[in-house]
Amino acid sequence: MPYAWLPSINGSTTVKGRTADVDADFIDLLHRKIPKELFGLMGAFEARKGPFSVMTDLVYMKVGASDSGARARSVHPRVGGTLAASMSVQFEMFIAEAALAYELFQWRGATPGAQTSIDLYGGGRFWWQNAEASLALSAGLNIGDLTVSGGRAFANSGDVTWFDPLVGLRLRHHFSPHTELVLRGDVGGFGAGSKISWQAMGYLNWDFARTQHAIWSAMLGYRALYVDFEKGAGSTLYEYDMLTHGPVIGVTARF
């Protein structure tokens, strides 16, 4: 299932001890340069045999916010200085998710083709991120550990990776053989990678074409993914406390 995720981002991030609040919807993000500052590739795959299935999901994304979408909040006490300056943030990230699911319950509905199933799944979510914060120079800003260019100071996180175990539930309801509603939610992290993470997603699949080898479905839904991760301290502190959410649209091929 190749798909597109049209995200909004809400939360806070800290890069080299400099913290910003981020509150940008997808319309705000569209003002970024494409594809340099706004780009994404996403896809999901599932293989099923009997009550067991293997689920994978891959997301590569570049997303950022500036002006009203990203507001400088503070400088970490160990960094020193004040932050009376405009700020923009840019994230590049790769998220790889894999899980094994088992069908706990299944029952048929009152109408032909109606059926409901509940799956329990567990697995993990791998994160890779590289974040950059750009700050307008001000008299009180400590820039000893930052790169200065064109009247702005740049803080870069470098490569940051972590792994979150996760566990969740999924409901699959067929209104008919050609229309399916999927609701799923999971929670993870538990201090192993991030402090906590959770995901909620719901989408509708409806068949629009059949070929000799595949059934093609359109997909429309909504996805929310939250994570609270922290690493380092003082001028090395990196924190990503963010909710990414928005509509998802895609095409599914079933073989």
Side-chain angles (χ1 to χ4, degrees), residues 71-86:
R71 297 179 299 277
R73 173 156 58 91
S74 67
V75 168
H76 194 275
R78 294 187 183 180
V79 176
T82 59
L83 194 57
S86 64

PDB file of all heavy atoms in Angstrom, residues 71-86:
ATOM      1  N   ARG A  71       8.158  28.710  17.476  1.00  0.00           N
ATOM      2  CA  ARG A  71       8.449  29.843  18.354  1.00  0.00           C
ATOM      3  C   ARG A  71       9.531  29.459  19.361  1.00  0.00           C
ATOM      4  O   ARG A  71       9.407  28.448  20.060  1.00  0.00           O
ATOM      5  CB  ARG A  71       7.181  30.274  19.090  1.00  0.00           C
ATOM      6  CG  ARG A  71       6.076  30.776  18.164  1.00  0.00           C
ATOM      7  CD  ARG A  71       4.838  31.153  18.946  1.00  0.00           C
ATOM      8  NE  ARG A  71       4.291  30.004  19.671  1.00  0.00           N
ATOM      9  CZ  ARG A  71       3.488  29.107  19.121  1.00  0.00           C
ATOM     10  NH1 ARG A  71       3.156  29.218  17.846  1.00  0.00           N
ATOM     11  NH2 ARG A  71       3.018  28.105  19.840  1.00  0.00           N
ATOM     12  N   ALA A  72      10.598  30.264  19.419  1.00  0.00           N
ATOM     13  CA  ALA A  72      11.651  30.031  20.385  1.00  0.00           C
ATOM     14  C   ALA A  72      11.077  30.170  21.798  1.00  0.00           C
ATOM     15  O   ALA A  72      10.377  31.120  22.100  1.00  0.00           O
ATOM     16  CB  ALA A  72      12.782  31.032  20.169  1.00  0.00           C
ATOM     17  N   ARG A  73      11.374  29.175  22.634  1.00  0.00           N
ATOM     18  CA  ARG A  73      10.808  29.185  23.991  1.00  0.00           C
ATOM     19  C   ARG A  73      11.869  29.437  25.047  1.00  0.00           C
ATOM     20  O   ARG A  73      11.656  30.218  25.968  1.00  0.00           O
ATOM     21  CB  ARG A  73      10.097  27.861  24.262  1.00  0.00           C
ATOM     22  CG  ARG A  73       9.620  27.681  25.694  1.00  0.00           C
ATOM     23  CD  ARG A  73       8.477  26.698  25.806  1.00  0.00           C
ATOM     24  NE  ARG A  73       8.792  25.383  25.296  1.00  0.00           N
ATOM     25  CZ  ARG A  73       9.287  24.389  26.033  1.00  0.00           C
ATOM     26  NH1 ARG A  73       9.587  24.597  27.298  1.00  0.00           N
ATOM     27  NH2 ARG A  73       9.504  23.204  25.503  1.00  0.00           N
ATOM     28  N   SER A  74      13.014  28.788  24.942  1.00  0.00           N
ATOM     29  CA  SER A  74      14.010  28.927  25.998  1.00  0.00           C
ATOM     30  C   SER A  74      15.350  28.420  25.526  1.00  0.00           C
ATOM     31  O   SER A  74      15.472  27.745  24.517  1.00  0.00           O
ATOM     32  CB  SER A  74      13.593  28.143  27.247  1.00  0.00           C
ATOM     33  OG  SER A  74      13.607  26.746  26.978  1.00  0.00           O
ATOM     34  N   VAL A  75      16.355  28.749  26.293  1.00  0.00           N
ATOM     35  CA  VAL A  75      17.665  28.125  26.169  1.00  0.00           C
ATOM     36  C   VAL A  75      17.871  27.294  27.423  1.00  0.00           C
ATOM     37  O   VAL A  75      17.564  27.724  28.529  1.00  0.00           O
ATOM     38  CB  VAL A  75      18.770  29.192  26.029  1.00  0.00           C
ATOM     39  CG1 VAL A  75      20.137  28.564  26.206  1.00  0.00           C
ATOM     40  CG2 VAL A  75      18.687  29.862  24.674  1.00  0.00           C
ATOM     41  N   HIS A  76      18.370  26.086  27.262  1.00  0.00           N
ATOM     42  CA  HIS A  76      18.611  25.221  28.411  1.00  0.00           C
ATOM     43  C   HIS A  76      19.540  25.933  29.392  1.00  0.00           C
ATOM     44  O   HIS A  76      20.505  26.587  29.004  1.00  0.00           O
ATOM     45  CB  HIS A  76      19.227  23.903  27.944  1.00  0.00           C
ATOM     46  CG  HIS A  76      19.213  22.840  28.986  1.00  0.00           C
ATOM     47  ND1 HIS A  76      20.205  22.747  29.938  1.00  0.00           N
ATOM     48  CD2 HIS A  76      18.334  21.838  29.232  1.00  0.00           C
ATOM     49  CE1 HIS A  76      19.949  21.708  30.728  1.00  0.00           C
ATOM     50  NE2 HIS A  76      18.821  21.139  30.314  1.00  0.00           N
ATOM     51  N   PRO A  77      19.267  25.847  30.715  1.00  0.00           N
ATOM     52  CA  PRO A  77      20.084  26.568  31.696  1.00  0.00           C
ATOM     53  C   PRO A  77      21.585  26.331  31.562  1.00  0.00           C
ATOM     54  O   PRO A  77      22.381  27.234  31.785  1.00  0.00           O
ATOM     55  CB  PRO A  77      19.556  26.028  33.032  1.00  0.00           C
ATOM     56  CG  PRO A  77      18.151  25.626  32.746  1.00  0.00           C
ATOM     57  CD  PRO A  77      18.152  25.111  31.341  1.00  0.00           C
ATOM     58  N   ARG A  78      21.995  25.134  31.178  1.00  0.00           N
ATOM     59  CA  ARG A  78      23.426  24.850  31.059  1.00  0.00           C
ATOM     60  C   ARG A  78      24.046  25.490  29.823  1.00  0.00           C
ATOM     61  O   ARG A  78      25.260  25.560  29.704  1.00  0.00           O
ATOM     62  CB  ARG A  78      23.652  23.338  31.028  1.00  0.00           C
ATOM     63  CG  ARG A  78      23.286  22.631  32.336  1.00  0.00           C
ATOM     64  CD  ARG A  78      23.690  21.179  32.284  1.00  0.00           C
ATOM     65  NE  ARG A  78      23.304  20.457  33.488  1.00  0.00           N
ATOM     66  CZ  ARG A  78      23.550  19.160  33.695  1.00  0.00           C
ATOM     67  NH1 ARG A  78      24.185  18.465  32.765  1.00  0.00           N
ATOM     68  NH2 ARG A  78      23.162  18.581  34.788  1.00  0.00           N
ATOM     69  N   VAL A  79      23.211  25.900  28.881  1.00  0.00           N
ATOM     70  CA  VAL A  79      23.736  26.504  27.662  1.00  0.00           C
ATOM     71  C   VAL A  79      24.040  27.973  27.888  1.00  0.00           C
ATOM     72  O   VAL A  79      25.029  28.510  27.403  1.00  0.00           O
ATOM     73  CB  VAL A  79      22.742  26.322  26.496  1.00  0.00           C
ATOM     74  CG1 VAL A  79      23.241  27.024  25.246  1.00  0.00           C
ATOM     75  CG2 VAL A  79      22.522  24.837  26.228  1.00  0.00           C
ATOM     76  N   GLY A  80      23.185  28.666  28.631  1.00  0.00           N
ATOM     77  CA  GLY A  80      23.389  30.081  28.925  1.00  0.00           C
ATOM     78  C   GLY A  80      22.825  30.971  27.841  1.00  0.00           C
ATOM     79  O   GLY A  80      22.541  30.555  26.726  1.00  0.00           O
ATOM     80  N   GLY A  81      22.621  32.253  28.192  1.00  0.00           N
ATOM     81  CA  GLY A  81      22.105  33.211  27.226  1.00  0.00           C
ATOM     82  C   GLY A  81      20.600  33.274  27.227  1.00  0.00           C
ATOM     83  O   GLY A  81      19.899  32.517  27.889  1.00  0.00           O
ATOM     84  N   THR A  82      20.090  34.237  26.474  1.00  0.00           N
ATOM     85  CA  THR A  82      18.650  34.373  26.286  1.00  0.00           C
ATOM     86  C   THR A  82      18.339  34.160  24.824  1.00  0.00           C
ATOM     87  O   THR A  82      19.221  34.172  23.968  1.00  0.00           O
ATOM     88  CB  THR A  82      18.167  35.773  26.721  1.00  0.00           C
ATOM     89  OG1 THR A  82      18.862  36.750  25.922  1.00  0.00           O
ATOM     90  CG2 THR A  82      18.457  36.016  28.182  1.00  0.00           C
ATOM     91  N   LEU A  83      17.078  33.959  24.520  1.00  0.00           N
ATOM     92  CA  LEU A  83      16.694  33.623  23.156  1.00  0.00           C
ATOM     93  C   LEU A  83      15.566  34.529  22.695  1.00  0.00           C
ATOM     94  O   LEU A  83      14.422  34.124  22.607  1.00  0.00           O
ATOM     95  CB  LEU A  83      16.282  32.150  23.076  1.00  0.00           C
ATOM     96  CG  LEU A  83      16.159  31.548  21.680  1.00  0.00           C
ATOM     97  CD1 LEU A  83      17.464  31.708  20.922  1.00  0.00           C
ATOM     98  CD2 LEU A  83      15.807  30.078  21.770  1.00  0.00           C
ATOM     99  N   ALA A  84      15.873  35.793  22.426  1.00  0.00           N
ATOM    100  CA  ALA A  84      14.898  36.729  21.884  1.00  0.00           C
ATOM    101  C   ALA A  84      15.124  36.806  20.379  1.00  0.00           C
ATOM    102  O   ALA A  84      15.584  37.796  19.839  1.00  0.00           O
ATOM    103  CB  ALA A  84      15.055  38.096  22.528  1.00  0.00           C
ATOM    104  N   ALA A  85      14.861  35.719  19.686  1.00  0.00           N
ATOM    105  CA  ALA A  85      15.175  35.632  18.266  1.00  0.00           C
ATOM    106  C   ALA A  85      14.167  34.731  17.574  1.00  0.00           C
ATOM    107  O   ALA A  85      13.588  33.844  18.183  1.00  0.00           O
ATOM    108  CB  ALA A  85      16.579  35.073  18.085  1.00  0.00           C
ATOM    109  N   SER A  86      13.959  34.970  16.273  1.00  0.00           N
ATOM    110  CA  SER A  86      13.090  34.092  15.497  1.00  0.00           C
ATOM    111  C   SER A  86      13.783  32.755  15.305  1.00  0.00           C
ATOM    112  O   SER A  86      15.006  32.644  15.363  1.00  0.00           O
ATOM    113  CB  SER A  86      12.768  34.719  14.145  1.00  0.00           C
ATOM    114  OG  SER A  86      13.938  34.850  13.368  1.00  0.00           O
TER     115      SER A  86
END
